[in-house]
Amino acid sequence: MSSTVSTQTRPTAKEPFEYQSVEVLKGVGPGVAAKLEKLGVYRVQDLLFHLPLRYEDRTRVVPMGALQHGQHAVVEGVIEHAEVRYGGKRRGGRGGRSLLCHVADGTGSILLRFFYFNSTQQANLTAGVRVRCYGEARFNNHRIEMVHPEYRRLLDAQAAAVEETMTPVYAKTEGVHQALLRNLIDQVLNRLNGERLQEYVPDVLLKKHGFPNLLQAIQMLHHPSPDTSLEQLEQCKHPAQQRMIFEELLAHQLSLMSVRQRVKKEEAVPLPLDVTQLDVFKRRLDFDLTQAQQTVIAEILHDMAKASPMMRLLQGDVGSGKTVVAACAVLAASGSKKQAAIMAPTEILAEQLFENFCHWFSAKDCVLLTGKDKGRLRQSKLEAIKEAKVHVIVGTHALFQEDVEFKELSLIIVDEQHRFGVHQRLALKDKGRFDGSIPHQLIMTATPIPRSLAMTAYADLDYSVIDALPSGRKPVSTVVVSEQRRQEVLGRVAGACASGEQAYWVCTLVEESEALQCQAAEETASLLQQALPELSIGLVHGRMKQQQKNEVVDHFKQGDINLLVATTVIEVGVDVPNASLMVIENAERLGLAQLHQLRGRVGRGEKQSACVLMYSSPLSERGKQRLAILRETNSGFVIAQKDLEMRGPGELLGTRQTGLMQMRIADIVRDESWLNEVSAASRYMLQNHQDRIRPLIRRWLGLADRYGAV
Ligand code: ADP
Ligand code: MG
């Protein structure tokens, strides 16, 4: 997915002003337009939504005596003394010249420091000259300094004007400087009036939340008045910002809801499963389903029995047993002699799922299709699928390549959804369109997201959660140790393996390139082999051929390998119940969610499992707190919540990682507190303002209506 939000067809001149190309503005030719595209700015309206990153307060002159450390401010005073110093430390190492000016304003004094200056500047900044400066005040040796402030000489005591509004600072890109952006945005603001910028948020909602109207909000955000609290703006708490956030969330929500409405109107083949069939299946399992599993199975089967397509998200922590739930859904499809496709993000995972399904269903009725299949073999598999000789079809993305034709695909299951984008998810449904029906869809994910976020990010889906692990699971006991205690950790690995258990050793490396990472993992493996010569050690990393990887993982599963050294490729899904020890090197470098996923590889069997989080010192206070969370809890949901609290905006869901919502201004994590109101508002609009929905979606998501463009 591209990083810019407003990718759509090129705007045409007949559109309303805000949808016209930026080329209608003075000073924008094709060259500048191309540069603006790098900022995601295509249309006039994109400029309005290109909100400042921060603001500078140049609306007043701050008395020097009142300056605070770190404050960005305008000061004004008379140079009392200026000198050029030689030597001394200078940024960049080498000693050099610096120009120092002592400036006073009657309330206090500050020191201006310039490392780079020419003779004209030096001649301008002499004793007796009155200057106005803008810069960051910093305490240094008990006095306040500004390093390389912007400055201007003032003639005598003339009162020079200050800015009337706060100065916006925009994200810029090469060839598009601040002054140009300010100029273009001002052109747009000057040409707009209330009529041109249609308000789509209903009045009742504006009133309810005390929001300004859209034009006011935009004007205010590009030019905040001097009495605006910068602190409020920086925290995105200003009503004008909140209003924009609310509107954007609303547009996304409505977009997902309309997708849902559209899909729900389609037909699907009802796949009822009778109780006896389910009971027979359950009896064949070598464990009892948990209550949580039974509940979600019932929800899924209820959906699938209907003639409208199921669109359901199944969340469940690592190890909660989602696979067998998926199997029950597959049972409903295959029981009706219809096909089910199960898609996994990696070949290793697909193979593992395939093994499970062969075990639970007749192996003759199952097929595995991955990118590995070539030539004759692939052809024969494709034929079997096309002629419905097989009903349970497991695979990777390969399942959805053009030449794969299904006969009666009636159920699609996507495992570990966060590896697939929203687009892919939507693209799947048409693959199985036949006789006017589309398949039921079940999306399974272990990415722990708090419920409110899940409901928003997946507003097009119904939501089920497996909220308890199978009983008898012993929580993984987690310790956090310094890298300096590596010897002890090695001893622990040796001990575990000596008693017949198996272990993972995960290398998390900072190396930029994957090649270097893999090289480093190879080195770790050989060092471990030297230290622990009695063990059989295997290695998997991202640069190995898929087949090699699979072989290593197979050997590990069969117990021929005691210790599996891996990069984070094992993060998702490898299921080896006999593995009971996990060592993660440089754990401080990974996110909590990722660590939790990794740790979920152990604790799958009867034995007490352990996870050793090794860090390299020194560990920051925050780093300590983060790792402590993992030590204290095994619940993915608790971890996600804490992670959210500690991290604040953006990172938890990492749109790039999850393919979740990408927004211009709002951030579903930071702005979580709005989500309930936004859902209510969406329903209100669907009931009362149908006509405003499309234009609102268009404003924020563009013509393409990204979620719906399938
Ligand atoms: P995940 O939700 O992470 O995909 P899996 O479906 O891979 O979890 O299940 C993890 C392990 O737990 C598997 O070995 C599976 O056989 C086992 N399992 C699943 N359900 C139960 C249950 N109700 N009781 C005991 N073990 C179970
Ligand atoms: Mg799984």
Side-chain angles (χ1 to χ4, degrees):
M1 196 182 289
S2 92
S3 64
T4 50
V5 167
S6 77
T7 41
Q8 44 222 303
T9 46
R10 269 191 168 278
T12 67
K14 288 194 206 87
E15 298 275 16
F17 179 53
E18 73 254 41
Y19 290 135
Q20 286 176 23
S21 157
V22 282
E23 290 189 41
V24 303
L25 300 174
K26 267 199 232 85
V28 186
V32 173
K35 286 176 184 152
L36 285 170
E37 283 185 14
K38 296 216 178 85
L39 293 172
V41 173
Y42 302 81
R43 307 171 302 174
V44 166
Q45 181 202 267
D46 297 328
L47 278 170
L48 293 177
F49 288 169
H50 190 64
L51 295 184
L53 290 177
R54 60 186 176 84
Y55 300 89
E56 292 174 350
D57 186 356
R58 298 170 188 245
T59 63
R60 65 207 167 100
V61 176
V62 176
M64 291 175 182
L67 284 173
Q68 310 269 340
H69 179 74
Q71 182 179 4
H72 286 82
V74 179
V75 293
E76 187 178 315
V78 175
I79 300 181
E80 295 188 319
H81 173 66
E83 61 184 316
V84 174
R85 284 251 183 95
Y86 292 87
K89 270 182 286 168
R90 169 164 151 180
R91 276 184 297 183
R94 219 159 40 85
R97 294 187 315 157
S98 51
L99 171 62
L100 304 179
C101 304
H102 300 261
V103 184
D105 71 351
T107 69
S109 67
I110 69 166
L111 180 67
L112 310 183
R113 200 184 273 276
F114 299 89
F115 297 109
Y116 308 97
F117 55 94
N118 58 32
S119 49
T120 322
Q121 284 169 313
Q122 190 181 341
N124 276 333
L125 294 171
T126 52
V129 168
R130 188 168 190 82
V131 284
R132 178 175 291 175
C133 310
Y134 179 85
E136 184 183 357
R138 304 202 66 87
F139 272 107
N140 188 9
N141 281 329
H142 308 290
R143 58 181 314 152
I144 289 197
E145 285 189 10
M146 281 188 184
V147 176
H148 278 274
E150 293 170 38
Y151 70 88
R152 172 155 75 103
R153 272 166 51 123
L154 298 179
L155 295 176
D156 299 324
Q158 132 214 34
V162 285
E163 299 285 336
E164 279 172 20
T165 63
M166 303 278 186
T167 309
V169 181
Y170 297 101
K172 52 188 180 175
T173 179
E174 216 182 308
V176 184
H177 44 81
Q178 293 295 335
L180 176 62
L181 280 168
R182 286 177 194 151
N183 170 297
L184 296 178
I185 289 167
D186 287 348
Q187 280 187 52
V188 179
L189 287 173
N190 289 336
R191 282 180 59 178
L192 274 180
N193 54 49
E195 277 158 61
R196 278 189 156 146
L197 202 59
Q198 192 69 42
E199 179 69 57
Y200 300 125
V201 178
D203 272 348
V204 269
L205 293 176
L206 295 182
K207 286 222 183 68
K208 177 175 178 194
H209 300 298
F211 286 150
N213 74 32
L214 182 63
L215 188 61
Q216 284 165 345
I218 286 177
Q219 250 153 1
M220 135 86 236
L221 289 173
H222 287 291
H223 294 295
S225 60
D227 58 353
T228 315
S229 153
L230 276 186
E231 208 184 325
Q232 208 182 26
L233 282 174
E234 267 154 28
Q235 293 171 357
C236 279
K237 293 282 186 243
H238 191 279
Q241 289 163 316
Q242 295 281 303
R243 187 237 130 88
M244 304 289 281
I245 288 168
F246 182 87
E247 183 171 328
E248 182 168 34
L249 290 171
L250 184 61
H252 278 254
Q253 190 80 358
L254 284 167
S255 168
L256 284 171
M257 285 179 161
S258 5
V259 169
R260 181 191 167 82
Q261 281 190 336
R262 246 174 291 159
V263 177
K264 280 285 178 190
K265 272 190 209 134
E266 305 238 25
E267 278 176 27
V269 177
L271 301 170
L273 178 64
D274 68 53
V275 189
T276 41
Q277 265 176 301
L278 185 59
D279 282 344
V280 170
F281 178 78
K282 282 191 203 162
R283 256 178 271 129
R284 285 215 307 270
L285 297 174
D286 36 11
F287 48 74
D288 291 329
L289 293 174
T290 62
Q291 189 52 52
Q293 284 169 318
Q294 312 235 32
T295 307
V296 302
I297 289 168
E299 287 166 352
I300 290 166
L301 294 179
H302 178 78
D303 283 359
M304 288 177 65
K306 293 196 214 157
S308 79
M310 165 168 77
M311 293 178 72
R312 188 168 281 279
L313 174 73
L314 171 59
Q315 264 212 317
D317 209 344
V318 219
S320 61
K322 293 184 290 294
T323 319
V324 69
V325 172
C328 292
V330 171
L331 187 68
S334 68
S336 298
K337 289 280 169 252
K338 299 281 190 262
Q339 290 176 312
I342 304 100
M343 180 155 87
T346 67
E347 285 181 10
I348 291 183
L349 261 175
E351 267 178 33
Q352 207 163 284
L353 282 172
F354 178 66
E355 271 172 40
N356 281 323
F357 284 101
C358 285
H359 179 65
W360 287 325
F361 298 90
S362 137
K364 272 196 310 214
D365 204 21
C366 300
V367 67
L368 174 69
L369 188 74
T370 68
K372 226 164 56 179
D373 298 311
K374 300 260 148 59
R376 269 253 200 67
L377 179 66
R378 181 177 162 84
Q379 276 314 316
S380 72
K381 288 185 177 181
L382 289 182
E383 241 171 65
I385 297 171
K386 190 174 172 185
E387 287 161 18
K389 286 184 193 147
V390 287
H391 294 93
V392 182
I393 300 127
V394 182
T396 53
H397 288 88
L399 282 185
F400 294 94
Q401 275 157 14
E402 293 228 336
D403 58 346
V404 185
E405 279 178 61
F406 295 86
K407 180 138 185 253
E408 294 170 322
L409 182 60
S410 61
L411 170 67
I412 293 174
I413 298 180
V414 182
D415 195 8
E416 310 295 357
Q417 134 84 8
H418 64 291
R419 296 287 172 106
F420 296 105
V422 179
H423 280 118
Q424 285 162 309
R425 165 151 63 83
L426 288 164
L428 302 187
K429 71 173 201 290
D430 282 332
K431 198 71 190 175
R433 195 181 282 282
F434 68 100
D435 283 353
S437 319
I438 62 168
H440 297 279
Q441 290 183 60
L442 178 65
I443 315 295
M444 306 201 292
T445 172
T447 319
I449 320 176
R451 189 184 171 90
S452 59
L453 293 193
M455 309 276 275
T456 299
Y458 300 106
D460 55 332
L461 303 175
D462 295 303
Y463 179 77
S464 292
V465 58
I466 306 183
D467 53 10
L469 296 183
S471 62
R473 275 291 158 74
K474 301 189 183 74
V476 179
S477 73
T478 301
V479 293
V480 178
V481 305
S482 154
E483 146 79 25
Q484 285 148 0
R485 288 168 57 193
R486 200 182 180 86
Q487 275 308 325
E488 282 170 52
V489 176
L490 288 175
R492 193 159 174 176
V493 171
C497 295
S499 64
E501 294 170 32
Q502 289 173 286
Y504 295 97
W505 187 289
V506 180
C507 311
T508 58
L509 302 143
V510 273
E511 251 61 74
E512 286 288 310
S513 82
E514 204 193 0
L516 284 174
Q517 282 199 18
C518 298
Q519 193 188 328
E522 277 163 13
E523 279 161 24
T524 304
S526 73
L527 286 174
L528 286 169
Q529 187 70 81
Q530 279 167 30
L532 305 166
E534 69 283 9
L535 297 189
S536 156
I537 296 183
L539 171 68
V540 277
H541 63 59
R543 290 204 118 201
M544 282 162 61
K545 290 227 170 65
Q546 191 62 44
Q547 196 178 339
Q548 284 175 293
K549 273 195 260 186
N550 296 349
E551 277 168 18
V552 177
V553 170
D554 280 345
H555 283 304
F556 187 58
K557 269 193 215 163
Q558 286 150 18
D560 308 338
I561 290 175
N562 308 115
L563 175 64
L564 183 64
V565 178
T567 52
T568 47
V569 296
I570 60 155
E571 182 191 343
V572 172
V574 176
D575 187 25
V576 181
N578 192 48
S580 60
L581 176 61
M582 156 115 3
V583 180
I584 304 176
E585 265 192 282
N586 301 310
E588 76 279 6
R589 290 175 188 160
L590 296 184
L592 291 189
Q594 203 180 2
L595 287 169
H596 177 66
Q597 294 278 331
L598 283 167
R599 180 173 61 178
R601 297 309 108 214
V602 294
R604 301 189 150 223
E606 296 295 301
K607 284 181 221 114
Q608 173 63 54
S609 296
C611 175
V612 178
L613 301 176
M614 219 166 26
Y615 62 86
S616 27
S617 310
L619 187 57
S620 69
E621 202 43 52
R622 254 176 78 84
K624 265 186 213 148
Q625 284 174 13
R626 281 161 44 80
L627 295 183
I629 291 174
L630 284 157
R631 196 175 57 213
E632 281 151 23
T633 178
N634 270 279
S635 154
F637 291 92
V638 173
I639 290 168
Q641 193 60 47
K642 296 248 181 189
D643 201 14
L644 183 66
E645 286 158 19
M646 277 191 72
R647 283 216 243 184
E651 293 169 87
L652 177 75
L653 295 176
T655 41
R656 234 180 319 158
Q657 190 198 336
T658 57
L660 285 181
M661 320 179 97
Q662 264 182 321
M663 291 183 259
R664 298 160 184 267
I665 299 166
D667 177 315
I668 57 174
V669 175
R670 180 194 63 202
D671 305 320
E672 195 204 352
S673 58
W674 276 116
L675 299 182
N676 286 336
E677 287 291 345
V678 167
S679 296
S682 315
R683 287 191 296 272
Y684 174 78
M685 292 210 35
L686 282 167
Q687 269 163 22
N688 302 290
H689 295 282
Q690 274 289 345
D691 55 320
R692 296 184 179 197
I693 291 175
R694 285 221 68 76
L696 182 64
I697 293 175
R698 177 180 183 196
R699 169 174 287 159
W700 289 94
L701 288 92
L703 281 175
D705 188 355
R706 291 176 304 136
Y707 303 127
V710 186

